[in-house]
Amino acid sequence: MTLENDIRGFFGMGPGTPMTPNEAMGMGYNMQAFGSMLSGALGYGTGMGNAEQSRMIARMNADEILRQAAEDADRAYRAGEISLGSTRAAYGASGIQLNSVTGQSVLQAEVIGIERTVTDIEQRGRRAADIELFSGEARALAYEAQAEASLLSGIVEGTGSLLMGSVYG
């Protein structure tokens, strides 16, 4: 059996007389159509997979950013508490009463400073996480657009080849 008979059998033409040039041309276009459509479908699947992966990585990165910010804020809070304790001790050693207006004002200012530092760290972490998620979504949308373009291209090229194949076949 020859390759030509194998191809004819594949397309349901059965063995027999050799293919005419038009049949061969039509079969070539049909095979090209199959390849174009398959390529489009594979490109679509790859692009959509890349989009999902981009979103997943962005979520993982954002979670890590938030975790790190929480740790940093906790460290800043603990450092502030240590500093506040040192301030209390220094005031006590100097003889200034902590329940006096001056002592309370100094301690309140230090507590406000600690809280502001912790809040700033947490807000920077949330902003960085939001930027990471936004960037990941933008990359994912670009991958999806490429996927859809690949699928559409495969369909258009495949349809054109099928039409040409029907002219010759």
Side-chain angles (χ1 to χ4, degrees):
M1 190 172 244
T2 65
L3 177 61
E4 181 181 325
N5 284 337
D6 288 344
I7 293 171
R8 290 176 69 82
F10 179 77
F11 286 100
M13 298 168 77
T17 59
M19 277 192 260
T20 66
N22 280 347
E23 286 178 329
M25 188 72 116
M27 191 172 299
Y29 277 116
N30 288 341
M31 292 172 80
Q32 181 181 351
F34 175 75
S36 294
M37 290 182 180
L38 180 61
S39 175
L42 291 174
Y44 178 80
T46 300
M48 295 307 276
N50 288 343
E52 184 54 37
Q53 187 176 35
S54 178
R55 287 186 180 100
M56 180 184 68
I57 290 170
R59 279 192 302 272
M60 289 171 41
N61 288 344
D63 288 345
E64 179 59 24
I65 290 167
L66 292 174
R67 186 193 65 74
Q68 187 64 49
E71 286 179 7
D72 292 347
D74 186 56
R75 275 194 293 281
Y77 181 80
R78 283 187 273 127
E81 287 292 316
I82 291 169
S83 175
L84 188 59
S86 297
T87 302
R88 284 186 183 130
Y91 269 89
S94 70
I96 298 175
Q97 296 294 318
L98 288 178
N99 56 1
S100 70
V101 174
T102 303
Q104 287 297 316
S105 295
V106 169
L107 292 178
Q108 278 182 326
E110 192 159 341
V111 167
I112 289 170
I114 293 167
E115 290 173 351
R116 183 175 296 139
T117 299
V118 168
T119 301
D120 287 348
I121 292 169
E122 290 170 342
Q123 286 177 347
R124 278 194 304 271
R126 282 193 294 273
R127 280 194 304 270
D130 287 345
I131 289 169
E132 180 62 31
L133 289 171
F134 179 79
S135 297
E137 183 62 22
R139 285 188 300 272
L141 291 173
Y143 282 128
E144 287 175 349
Q146 288 174 343
E148 290 167 0
S150 178
L151 181 62
L152 183 59
S153 173
I155 291 170
V156 168
E157 288 177 21
T159 302
S161 294
L162 282 175
L163 290 174
M164 287 302 292
S166 67
V167 168
Y168 286 99

